[in-house]
Amino acid sequence: MPFILNAWYVAAWPHEVKGDALLGRIICGQGIVFWRTADGQVQALEDRCSHREMPLSLGCLENGTIRCGYHGLRFAGDGSCAEIPGQEKVPSSVRVHAYPVVEQYGWIWVWPGDPSAADPALIPNILRPNQDPGWTSVGGTTHTKCNYQLIVDNLLDLTHEAYVHPTSLGSHAVVNNPIRTKIEEDKVISSRQMAHEDPGPFWGEALRSATGYEGPCDRWQIVNFTAPSALGLDVGVAPAGTGAFDGDRSKGVSAWNLNAITPETENTTWYFWALARNFQRDEESLSEQLRSRVANIFEEDRVAMEAVQTVIDRGQSRPFINLRTDAGGVAARRINERKLAEELAS
């Protein structure tokens, strides 16, 4: 299955890419090796030596360049070969592909497609709360053995919270209240307002800890999708009737659940996630509690999505039946299909 290549994908967290080690990662089926130069700049090359296909990630760093671990060819960050042991002349054809790479919004992004089209302004700004002075963010990575589109589907229809996450996010409020879907060019917004409802365990505890309030709540979920696979979820709760749905969330607690969904292969995905909150922002112990709890929530998602992929892989899967709640996911798939067709035709 081809991927949309002319797009920015999260490749790693900043702490994963170091100046004294190489990080090899597969993005959209392409092996890429990452490292930092002495001044901290991230570099990215295809993870293969052009001589005999040895992964460069199995080599070593040497003065800001990569020394291949097979025959010792040395490559610079622009993909050119800086040295061939035992040979003075270096042919211009001995080079590897260099990838555009940017560090922004608390992640490292790579562009696997046409380098001339790699405009940093195209990085999805819905993920900016991951590195914003107005929010406190924690995050992690969940490697998932399923196609990336299944994760996009999962996030655009949060009805599953009542069944996949019954002890964490679960509340039948998500079943009893309708989803509203809006499509804007390459973006989809799926929103749900739940008035005077049970907030669910996760949000009930967050509101109680921050304000002391216990009782019925007004709860909101606004899922923002930007093609091909970035999703920012504006979520939170407030005491019922205090004006949250009219724009005054001051008596409640809010967060952005940020999701950068990066295809690895057709059936595996790098799932980078973060939770940026506006409450009890300086409490480090709470940050670690939330990191652990959100990781466990996404582990529940992983189990569900991998089970779906297993059925698809058996060849027994039939065409999906779409329900009313699937409007956002269907729209996102159609946008991605259009973008892929346009890319393949160009």
Side-chain angles (χ1 to χ4, degrees):
M1 181 187 102
F3 299 103
I4 296 171
L5 299 181
N6 286 330
W8 290 103
Y9 292 97
V10 170
W13 290 90
H15 69 265
E16 293 183 286
V17 180
K18 305 173 183 178
D20 59 354
L22 297 166
L23 175 69
R25 194 148 276 177
I26 297 174
I27 307 292
C28 294
Q30 302 181 26
I32 307 176
V33 58
F34 299 88
W35 78 99
R36 289 186 188 272
T37 59
D39 62 357
Q41 295 298 308
V42 179
Q43 304 288 302
L45 295 179
E46 60 178 316
D47 194 9
R48 56 170 285 276
C49 177
S50 55
H51 175 227
R52 287 293 185 270
E53 305 293 308
M54 183 70 166
L56 291 177
S57 58
L58 298 180
C60 64
L61 284 171
E62 188 174 312
N63 297 324
T65 63
I66 298 181
R67 174 83 70 179
C68 177
Y70 196 7
H71 297 99
L73 279 71
R74 189 162 56 86
F75 293 91
D78 64 357
S80 64
C81 183
E83 179 190 355
I84 299 176
Q87 179 175 320
E88 292 185 6
K89 182 175 176 56
V90 178
S92 60
S93 60
V94 183
R95 62 179 301 112
V96 294
H97 180 71
Y99 291 85
V101 61
V102 174
E103 193 165 351
Q104 188 165 310
Y105 302 149
W107 278 305
I108 292 170
W109 301 77
V110 69
W111 180 279
D114 177 3
S116 67
D119 182 356
L122 297 175
I123 293 175
N125 63 8
I126 56 170
L127 300 183
R128 67 184 180 276
N130 188 43
Q131 193 179 48
D132 186 293
W135 299 86
T136 296
S137 184
V138 297
T141 307
T142 302
H143 185 259
T144 308
K145 295 178 181 178
C146 73
N147 183 271
Y148 82 100
Q149 295 264 25
L150 294 180
I151 303 178
V152 173
D153 288 344
N154 180 72
L155 291 166
L156 278 165
D157 177 13
L158 298 179
T159 306
H160 74 272
E161 287 184 351
Y163 309 101
V164 177
H165 311 295
T167 62
S168 52
L169 296 174
S171 166
H172 276 274
V174 296
V175 177
N176 299 331
N177 291 272
I179 295 177
R180 295 175 175 84
T181 301
K182 184 178 180 181
I183 304 169
E184 299 176 348
E185 297 182 351
D186 293 343
K187 300 180 180 181
V188 178
I189 302 172
S190 291
S191 61
R192 181 184 260 128
Q193 292 183 342
M194 296 160 275
H196 210 273
E197 293 275 11
D198 172 10
F202 181 95
W203 286 108
E205 182 178 328
L207 185 61
R208 182 170 59 253
S209 175
T211 70
Y213 176 83
E214 294 185 70
C217 290
D218 292 339
R219 182 179 178 185
W220 61 91
Q221 297 173 332
I222 306 170
V223 183
N224 299 269
F225 164 85
T226 297
S229 54
L231 296 103
L233 281 63
D234 174 7
V235 290
V237 297
T242 57
F245 295 159
D246 297 320
D248 180 7
R249 300 178 178 179
S250 61
K251 297 179 177 59
V253 289
S254 298
W256 278 91
N257 169 219
L258 308 169
N259 308 270
I261 313 303
T262 300
E264 180 185 43
T265 66
E266 182 176 354
N267 293 338
T268 59
T269 302
W270 293 106
Y271 185 174
F272 299 94
W273 55 265
L275 183 76
R277 70 183 190 277
N278 74 344
F279 57 95
Q280 297 171 284
R281 295 187 52 207
D282 297 327
E283 296 188 17
E284 292 185 10
S285 61
L286 177 61
S287 291
E288 291 310 308
Q289 290 173 22
L290 290 174
R291 189 196 311 273
S292 176
R293 293 191 67 180
V294 174
N296 288 335
I297 289 170
F298 286 135
E299 182 66 12
E300 293 170 342
D301 284 318
R302 183 192 63 78
V303 171
M305 290 180 290
E306 289 185 357
V308 172
Q309 187 66 58
T310 297
V311 174
I312 294 173
D313 291 345
R314 285 203 303 259
Q316 295 176 291
S317 177
R318 296 170 177 81
F320 289 168
I321 294 174
N322 294 314
L323 307 177
R324 186 182 308 166
T325 55
D326 295 311
V330 170
R333 283 177 176 264
R334 288 175 177 168
I335 290 171
N336 281 348
E337 288 169 0
R338 171 178 55 79
K339 289 179 71 67
L340 179 59
E342 292 171 350
E343 188 171 299
L344 294 174
S346 63

